[in-house]
Amino acid sequence: MKKKVVVGMSGGVDSSVAAYLLKEQGYDVIGVTMQVWPEDEEYEEREGGCCSLSSVEDARRVADKLNIPFYVMNFKDVFKANVIDYFIDEYVQGRTPNPCIACNKYIKFDEFLKKASAMGADYIATGHYATIEHIDNRYIIRKSEDDKKDQTYVLYNFTQYQLAHTLMPCGEYKKDRIREIARELGLRVYNKKDSEEICFIPDNDHGAYIKKQVPDKIREGNFVDKKGNVLGRHKGIVYYTIGQRKGLGIALGTPMFVTDINPLRNEVVLGSEEDIFKTSLVAKDMNFIPFDTLKEPMQVEAKIRYSVKPSKAVIYPNGDGRVKVEFKDKQRAITKGQSVVFYDGDILLGGGLIETVL
């Protein structure tokens, strides 16, 4: 009897080819698009994005072409609670969240898996660039074949149960080959641009979006230096993030960077570029994949954001579920609310949310 897999189809080339590859491997494939956008006319008319209305139609056309069943599932409420509201609250608290990590943790590999299981599915699948393996009675995640497209940074929250019921067939291919396969199949999405913006924010302007959602929580305040001297006025802390130089709206005769954000005082601290280089942090909400908990110091490679190369570091258990991370070399703009993610070679060890920068 064929194993049943429900593929999360975003309307992009990766998830489209993932559905094809799994069908070729003999699975009983069902395509599903997760409807997560808010009830917002401006949003629903928007083109592009990984979960817009146009993407639903792209996914539906691909499913028709592959001759697989296709459904749209409603995840609006859980997405709003766990991704949108979280995103807004983090910025209001002076942190910089990664909504894709929250979406993967709560939506794609939790709620979606639950709904797929209720449909009788053995697996869910996505178009992520990563590979899942089963070694020594433990599931692990390795970096994808295409290092430039590797997405393991946003996948560190997996449980063993979730990994046992998840497939990621694109991880064994280069992105160029995925596009080639789509073109060979006659899929119109073969040359569709990768979605890089936050899917629920029009024009990628997160500050304007947050102000529209919670106008009473956005207040002007002071730019200050590290001694507390007032340098000028800012338009609200949600518009800024650590390391930012452009768009400050203040001219001081020398390049200035955001070095800290103080939500209690509604202040944005500015300093020199040297001030944004740090070597240590403490992370919370830890999740490890090859093992359950960190029991002793461990040498790793670590990333403090998606777009940087891993750097050598030592991680230490803090005794309270938190982990202290000490980098060999200074890191630029370690940012509270972002994730720090650990690797042993090409194996994803786990990660957590940056709570404190030391």
Side-chain angles (χ1 to χ4, degrees):
M1 186 175 175
K2 285 186 177 181
K3 295 279 189 178
K4 183 184 292 186
V5 57
V6 178
V7 182
M9 298 182 69
S10 66
V13 64
D14 301 323
S15 56
S16 298
V17 173
Y20 164 76
L21 292 171
L22 292 167
K23 187 177 180 184
E24 286 295 291
Q25 291 171 21
Y27 289 96
D28 178 9
V29 178
I30 298 170
V32 164
T33 292
M34 291 172 258
Q35 190 177 42
V36 299
W37 57 84
E39 299 289 356
D40 185 321
E41 187 174 326
E42 175 189 9
Y43 183 83
E44 297 215 357
E45 292 176 351
R46 177 176 168 233
E47 290 295 311
C50 69
C51 39
S52 65
L53 287 180
S54 63
S55 293
V56 174
E57 293 311 308
D58 286 340
R60 192 187 306 278
R61 279 192 291 268
V62 170
D64 287 345
K65 187 88 173 177
L66 298 179
N67 194 28
I68 61 174
F70 177 78
Y71 304 96
V72 177
M73 287 185 178
N74 184 349
F75 289 87
K76 290 180 186 178
D77 291 344
V78 67
F79 186 83
K80 184 179 185 304
N82 290 291
V83 181
I84 296 177
D85 291 351
Y86 156 78
F87 177 85
I88 292 169
D89 186 60
E90 284 289 281
Y91 265 106
V92 168
Q93 296 298 324
R95 297 184 285 267
T96 305
N98 186 318
C100 292
I101 289 176
C103 182
N104 286 336
K105 179 177 181 178
Y106 295 107
I107 314 300
K108 291 179 181 172
F109 303 113
D110 186 17
E111 290 297 322
F112 179 46
L113 176 56
K114 289 173 183 174
K115 288 197 177 187
S117 298
M119 294 169 63
D122 300 286
Y123 302 100
I124 57 169
T126 67
H128 282 96
Y129 283 83
T131 58
I132 299 170
E133 296 181 12
H134 191 238
I135 299 175
D136 297 330
N137 295 318
R138 192 90 185 185
Y139 286 93
I140 64 166
I141 301 178
R142 289 188 188 273
K143 292 181 181 178
S144 75
E145 184 67 25
D146 192 334
D147 193 52
K148 291 179 182 177
K149 289 294 179 180
D150 177 69
Q151 292 174 297
T152 51
Y153 175 84
V154 298
L155 299 174
Y156 70 84
N157 277 308
F158 265 102
T159 67
Q160 288 292 301
Y161 175 82
Q162 290 166 344
L163 285 172
H165 296 278
T166 302
L167 304 173
M168 294 181 181
C170 292
E172 298 176 13
Y173 293 83
K174 300 276 191 181
K175 177 73 178 217
D176 290 347
R177 179 58 187 144
I178 294 294
R179 289 199 184 278
E180 273 181 27
I181 292 170
R183 185 170 53 81
E184 290 164 3
L185 293 171
L187 303 181
R188 285 167 47 177
V189 298
Y190 81 91
N191 63 351
K192 189 173 179 179
K193 185 182 176 184
D194 290 342
S195 176
E196 295 178 352
E197 72 273 16
I198 299 169
C199 72
F200 56 89
I201 295 186
D203 304 319
N204 210 26
D205 187 343
H206 73 270
Y209 175 82
I210 295 170
K211 186 169 184 177
K212 181 180 178 182
Q213 302 301 315
V214 288
D216 57 314
K217 294 186 178 181
I218 312 305
R219 297 177 291 115
E220 290 185 357
N222 289 328
F223 283 120
V224 298
D225 64 19
K226 56 188 175 184
K227 293 181 180 178
N229 298 311
V230 176
L231 303 174
R233 297 286 286 174
H234 68 70
K235 57 185 179 180
I237 64 171
V238 301
Y239 289 92
Y240 309 96
T241 189
I242 304 302
Q244 181 176 337
R245 175 187 173 188
K246 296 180 179 179
L248 299 180
I250 184 172
L252 296 168
T254 184
M256 298 294 276
F257 299 79
V258 175
T259 63
D260 196 12
I261 297 170
N262 187 331
L264 295 178
R265 297 172 63 91
N266 194 34
E267 291 177 341
V268 176
V269 184
L270 302 181
S272 68
E273 187 167 22
E274 180 183 347
D275 292 332
I276 60 175
F277 282 86
K278 305 287 185 179
T279 56
S280 302
L281 64 88
V282 174
K284 64 175 183 176
D285 297 344
M286 303 305 304
N287 187 68
F288 290 100
I289 294 172
F291 47 86
D292 291 331
T293 56
L294 181 70
K295 295 180 179 177
E296 56 189 28
M298 183 177 187
Q299 291 193 2
V300 301
E301 289 190 308
K303 290 175 66 163
I304 56 166
R305 66 178 58 83
Y306 183 86
S307 58
V308 300
K309 291 183 177 180
S311 297
K312 289 184 178 180
V314 179
I315 56 177
Y316 301 86
N318 245 19
D320 57 0
R322 291 170 168 80
V323 164
K324 184 180 180 183
V325 184
E326 292 188 355
F327 288 92
K328 181 180 178 183
D329 300 314
K330 286 186 176 182
Q331 302 294 301
R332 188 185 189 281
I334 301 175
T335 304
K336 288 181 282 189
Q338 289 283 295
S339 291
V340 59
V341 179
F342 313 126
Y343 296 89
D344 178 7
D346 67 346
I347 296 175
L348 173 63
L349 295 174
L353 293 175
I354 298 171
E355 182 179 46
T356 310
V357 182
L358 304 174

